[in-house]
């Protein structure tokens, strides 16, 4: 596995479809553990108005043979900033792509979206039941409360 981005100058992909995610061997193969990535400033575009949408993403996964390289994940998530899609499509699509390519033992994603039209929308997806005995902390993102 030769990472495309790690240690290299990398441009922001024009779209999620053009983004290349790098995977490297799991350094603790056979030992179940949880990896968490948090993207507190995720952005995409509303497919109807073209206005920006903002979310706090939390991605939890239990690696199998590979782990996702964090720089490539950052570039992938950043590629959504000019991508027009509903909250559900962005959140579930990220989870499904990571699951399809990395093939983790388990993955979940929480998309905590800031209000659009006065209504916050939170989207959750997971690949299946969490492995038995896994320490699974709360994602730690409170429900939207406005300024209060």
């Amino acid at each position: 596995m030769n990472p495309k981005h790690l240690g290299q100058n990398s441009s922001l992909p024009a779209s999620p479809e053009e983004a290349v995610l790098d995977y490297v061997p799991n350094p603790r193969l056979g030992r179940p553990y949880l990896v968490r990535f948090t993207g507190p400033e995720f952005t995409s575009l509303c497919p109807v108005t073209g206005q920006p949408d903002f979310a706090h993403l939390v991605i939890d996964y239990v690696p199998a043979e590979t782990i996702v390289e964090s720089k490539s994940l950052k570039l992938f998530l950043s590629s959504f900033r000019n991508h027009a899609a509903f909250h559900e499509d962005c959140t579930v699509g990220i989870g499904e792509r990571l699951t399809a390519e990395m093939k983790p033992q388990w993955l979940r994603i929480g998309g905590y979206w800031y209000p659009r039209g006065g209504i916050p929308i939170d989207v959750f997806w997971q690949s299946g039941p969490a492995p038995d005995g896994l320490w699974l902390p709360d994602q730690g993102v409170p429900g939207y409360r406005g300024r209060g």
Side-chain angles (χ1 to χ4, degrees):
M1 295 181 195
N2 295 322
K4 178 180 178 184
H5 301 292
L6 188 61
Q8 307 295 321
N9 289 328
S10 300
S11 299
L12 183 66
S15 69
E17 295 78 24
E18 291 181 25
V20 175
L21 285 156
D22 288 332
Y23 303 94
V24 296
N26 178 354
R28 296 292 178 181
L29 194 58
R31 189 175 290 170
Y33 61 95
L34 183 77
V35 177
R36 173 170 288 169
F37 287 103
T38 304
E41 298 176 345
F42 180 84
T43 60
S44 65
L45 298 175
C46 172
V48 177
T49 66
Q51 295 294 311
D53 286 324
F54 302 88
H56 184 132
L57 297 182
V58 181
I59 301 166
D60 293 325
Y61 76 94
V62 176
E65 302 217 359
T66 63
I67 57 174
V68 66
E69 191 277 313
S70 61
K71 181 179 179 182
S72 72
L73 180 64
K74 177 182 74 171
L75 290 167
F76 170 58
L77 295 177
S78 296
S79 74
F80 280 84
R81 66 198 255 182
N82 294 315
H83 178 72
F86 290 111
H87 302 335
E88 296 84 352
D89 188 34
C90 290
T91 306
V92 175
I94 291 166
E96 288 180 334
R97 176 152 176 201
L98 287 168
T99 300
E101 291 183 11
M102 183 172 37
K103 297 177 180 42
Q105 291 182 42
W106 177 79
L107 184 141
R108 77 173 176 183
I109 182 169
Y112 302 86
W113 293 83
Y114 293 92
R116 177 196 288 168
I119 300 174
I121 300 170
D122 295 335
V123 181
F124 307 99
W125 182 85
Q126 67 182 31
S127 61
D132 287 338
L134 178 69
W135 176 45
L136 190 57
D138 181 80
Q139 290 194 326
V141 182
Y144 184 78
R145 293 187 48 143
R147 293 187 173 169

